[in-house]
Amino acid sequence: MSDLIDVEICTGTTCFVMGAGHLLNLAEELPERLRGVVSIRGSHCLGFCDDPSKGKPPFARVNEELLSEVTAEGLIAACDKALAIEKDGDDHAV
Amino acid sequence: MRYDNQANRIRKEVLVRVAKAFMSDRPETAIDRIPLEMRPKGCDASRCCIYKDREVLKHRTMAALGFSVEDETGELTPLRDYFDSALQREAIEVTGLTVIDIACSACLKGSYLVTNACRGCLGRACQTNCPKGAIDFVDGCAVINPELCVNCGLCLKACPYNAIVRTPIPCEESCPVKAISKDESGREVIDQEKCISCGQCVVACPFAAIQDRSQMIDVLKTLKSGGKTVALIAPSIVGQFPGDLEQMAAALEQLGFVNVEEVAAGADETVRLETAEWKERVGEETPFMTTSCCPAYIEAVKKHLPELAPFVSHTPSPMAISAHWVKEADPQVTTVFIGPCVAKRTEALQNPDVDYVLTFEELGAMLIAAKIDVLECEPVALSRSGQAGGRGFPVSGGVTGAIQAHLGDAADALKPVAFNGLDSKSLMRLKMTATRGCGGNFVEVMCCEGGCQSGPGVLCNPAVAGRKLTELLAES
């Protein structure tokens, strides 16, 4: 079993106001398939809000992959993708 | 989902851009450019084209400057002119929700619709079950005649293919007092005589077509002028921003507020006064008493439930008490209530002690524009703090709980009844309590289901905010 999928939600004021405040309930909204395999944490400002080239807030990282204008659905999709990659990796290892 | 969607985020982005423009070196130019910058050439349009998007954004910017669509002086009037007149505004004279007509999608009137899943079957259960003969078959498919349909929904239940759907009009469904309806063009209009400013339609509209006149510019101007301005933070602020209350106080001081007071302290006083009033009035004078802290409920009583007026508590709301304390100590101070509520603007308009009302969305926009990160702020003490009772006000059951705690051993005499959220049905039940009684002797009414934590101006999932509040109450 590989490590948990790391979901880091930026809770700097900009991200929090623009929607991260609603995303902090993600743990409760995860579908069954993702329960127990995802670790969700809030972080201090990641600094992306100052750089328009990174997109718009709220920002989050899923296994270090940066997501902008993130939504609960977007985070769940990114977790599914990360889960698929991990499984794929495991297959290759075998 | 209900509170966080693209429509909601666009509204917040406009507020942020207006606040940033205000703080910039050339605010007029920045204000004029907001629609262009949000929908630059070549970007994807949300509606038919970017030009329509820009026109809608112009109206959103007007709302963020404190104007409604009705205030539009001419189609060629640039936003900078509205910005200038917003800066001239000395005091708030008008509040109320309005529909941005061009943003309203004029949702389909007929509540029931036959989809292309209709097989044009032989059984035609929809037609057989329709009591009004409203269903015809055209080109082998069922069609509902909106002139005859009475929205009973029997066809939907009867169809074996689930081919009939109900298409509600979200704003009309959400309005507890039927204050919003279509004009002849099919677009929604708010009847100000009926509207209780609860803001449910603002949250419900998927096109974010309903706007509230912001008071953000007025507060920004006051803060910039250096006048003594005090922030009165609603008990529901817990969980609405990162960090704790002391960090929030520091963030507000960085914005320019001289003092930050917890309205939870005013709520504690509301508890004391309301408990005394309940003891005095209930029994001989009246069979029950209702709370008075929810301004949308108070408006509903005034406009729709006059028979309930004798049962409403006379105790001032926590906002009124807190603002009065501040003005009593220094009448020169400007008071700004900050909360999740749109209806508080209506209450404030009738109370000279409250100068301005901001929502958490507006405060959030100001903090973003000023680049203040609450989590990085060094905590400072609040000039007035609340206790557990007052701090518990923003959740349904909180007022009742605080009064029970205040009654102590006598709490058994209190027979509480809760109206947790107002919709057209609960409003009806509330109306009946005036004649039939309520089945108890104390009625707590919260217009927003769940309490103020679920208000239209919140930034945080109510479940998350609820957990943060529980943590705080354990320490209080």
Side-chain angles (χ1 to χ4, degrees):
Chain A
M1 185 67 196
S2 43
D3 291 337
L4 295 175
I5 298 166
D6 181 34
V7 177
E8 186 181 22
I9 300 172
C10 178
T11 61
T13 298
T14 304
C15 286
F16 196 100
V17 169
M18 293 310 290
H22 294 286
L23 299 174
L24 296 175
N25 204 37
L26 186 69
E28 314 291 318
E29 292 163 22
L30 282 180
E32 200 54 48
R33 62 182 183 278
L34 291 175
R35 302 234 164 168
V37 295
V38 176
S39 131
I40 302 166
R41 60 196 169 106
S43 78
H44 278 238
C45 179
L46 298 170
F48 299 118
C49 48
D50 277 337
D51 181 356
S53 73
K54 301 286 186 206
K56 286 183 180 179
F59 293 97
R61 283 194 290 219
V62 174
N63 280 358
E64 294 299 309
E65 186 199 351
L66 179 66
L67 303 168
S68 65
E69 285 186 80
V70 73
T71 59
E73 297 73 29
L75 282 177
I76 289 170
C79 288
D80 278 330
K81 195 174 123 195
L83 193 66
I85 291 171
E86 278 186 10
K87 276 191 181 150
D88 210 26
D90 286 349
D91 289 346
H92 286 300
V94 173
Chain B
M1 280 292 286
R2 189 167 170 245
Y3 300 96
D4 180 39
N5 53 50
Q6 295 308 326
N8 183 304
R9 288 184 184 182
I10 285 180
R11 194 174 56 227
K12 287 192 276 195
E13 189 181 338
V14 171
L15 282 169
V16 172
R17 284 178 182 270
V18 168
K20 278 185 179 168
F22 179 91
M23 294 176 194
S24 71
D25 298 332
R26 299 176 64 195
E28 281 93 353
T29 312
I31 289 276
D32 267 343
R33 291 192 59 81
I34 289 174
L36 293 158
E37 287 189 353
M38 285 183 72
R39 284 295 178 274
K41 259 191 180 159
C43 85
D44 292 336
S46 318
R47 295 165 193 265
C48 54
C49 61
I50 57 166
Y51 307 102
K52 170 129 185 190
D53 281 356
R54 287 177 184 174
E55 194 58 21
V56 174
L57 286 165
K58 183 185 171 189
H59 285 93
R60 293 196 193 290
T61 309
M62 281 175 62
L65 293 169
F67 299 99
S68 75
V69 180
E70 290 80 13
D71 297 324
E72 192 171 43
T73 48
E75 286 184 73
L76 283 175
T77 310
L79 282 169
R80 62 172 66 212
D81 288 9
Y82 295 106
F83 178 68
D84 288 339
S85 36
L87 293 181
Q88 303 299 321
R89 204 162 39 219
E90 291 291 330
I92 300 299
E93 281 161 5
V94 58
T95 61
L97 305 169
T98 48
V99 181
I100 300 177
D101 52 354
I102 56 164
C104 174
S105 152
C107 299
L108 276 179
K109 194 179 175 194
S111 279
Y112 290 87
L113 186 75
V114 184
T115 67
N116 59 5
C118 172
R119 311 270 302 157
C121 67
L122 202 57
R124 300 193 171 177
C126 56
Q127 199 175 37
T128 318
N129 282 281
C130 177
K132 297 289 174 189
I135 297 182
D136 295 321
F137 277 75
V138 179
D139 298 333
C141 272
V143 177
I144 299 173
N145 180 348
E147 300 297 319
L148 298 175
C149 174
V150 292
N151 290 325
C152 68
L154 288 173
C155 56
L156 178 146
K157 285 186 197 135
C159 176
Y161 294 105
N162 291 346
I164 299 175
V165 291
R166 182 165 173 277
T167 55
I169 299 176
C171 61
E172 290 187 13
E173 295 261 320
S174 70
C175 180
V177 291
K178 296 191 170 56
I180 187 161
S181 59
K182 290 181 175 301
D183 65 7
E184 48 300 341
S185 73
R187 290 188 171 134
E188 299 292 330
V189 194
I190 296 174
D191 182 347
Q192 301 296 339
E193 299 293 313
K194 291 184 183 169
C195 178
I196 57 170
S197 301
C198 65
Q200 301 298 328
C201 56
V202 178
V203 181
C205 175
F207 285 88
I210 301 156
Q211 291 263 187
D212 165 31
R213 289 178 181 87
S214 170
Q215 299 180 9
M216 184 177 75
I217 284 288
D218 306 76
V219 176
L220 284 169
K221 188 184 83 174
T222 309
L223 291 171
K224 196 179 176 184
S225 73
K228 270 173 137 187
T229 311
V230 173
L232 304 168
I233 53 174
S236 49
I237 200 163
V238 176
Q240 295 301 323
F241 291 91
D244 56 27
L245 282 174
E246 287 72 21
Q247 284 177 302
M248 195 65 230
L252 285 161
E253 287 186 6
Q254 281 187 36
L255 273 177
F257 289 95
V258 291
N259 276 330
V260 181
E261 307 228 346
E262 262 192 77
V263 174
D268 287 323
E269 183 65 8
T270 296
V271 171
R272 278 189 285 279
L273 294 173
E274 202 155 278
T275 308
E277 187 189 357
W278 178 82
K279 279 187 193 163
E280 194 185 307
R281 284 179 63 195
V282 171
E284 285 181 18
E285 188 190 322
T286 174
F288 67 91
M289 188 177 94
T290 85
T291 51
S292 60
C293 49
C294 172
Y297 163 58
I298 295 302
E299 283 298 298
V301 170
K302 276 189 203 157
K303 294 183 172 177
H304 304 277
L305 312 164
E307 58 274 65
L308 212 58
F311 302 96
V312 179
S313 158
H314 303 308
T315 299
S317 74
M319 172 178 86
I321 290 173
S322 288
H324 185 68
W325 283 339
V326 173
K327 288 276 188 182
E328 203 177 35
D330 183 355
Q332 301 307 315
V333 158
T334 303
T335 49
V336 182
F337 175 83
I338 303 167
C341 183
V342 179
K344 278 284 178 208
R345 298 206 214 262
T346 312
E347 183 189 335
L349 200 61
Q350 300 154 13
N351 184 340
D353 288 337
V354 187
D355 296 304
Y356 300 110
V357 173
L358 291 182
T359 63
F360 295 138
E361 280 186 359
E362 289 164 312
L363 174 60
M366 288 162 65
L367 291 170
I368 293 175
K371 293 185 182 293
I372 297 170
D373 190 3
V374 187
L375 271 180
E376 303 300 325
C377 290
E378 279 302 316
V380 297
L382 287 94
S383 44
R384 210 184 313 251
S385 295
Q387 294 169 337
R391 283 177 169 174
F393 262 49
V395 262
S396 275
V399 183
T400 305
I403 289 190
Q404 280 168 329
H406 194 68
L407 280 167
D409 293 341
D412 284 349
L414 192 91
K415 307 282 181 230
V417 176
F419 278 82
N420 178 15
L422 287 187
D423 56 23
S424 49
K425 281 182 188 152
S426 58
L427 207 74
M428 225 22 160
R429 288 206 321 270
L430 201 51
K431 200 181 177 78
M432 287 195 298
T433 61
T435 47
R436 297 188 193 171
C438 65
N441 56 19
F442 180 76
V443 185
E444 180 190 294
V445 189
M446 289 281 195
C447 184
C448 295
E449 191 179 345
C452 312
Q453 271 186 341
S454 314
V458 299
L459 298 171
C460 185
N461 183 298
V464 179
R467 286 196 286 273
K468 256 191 122 168
L469 183 68
T470 311
E471 284 170 27
L472 180 72
L473 291 184
E475 300 164 15
S476 297

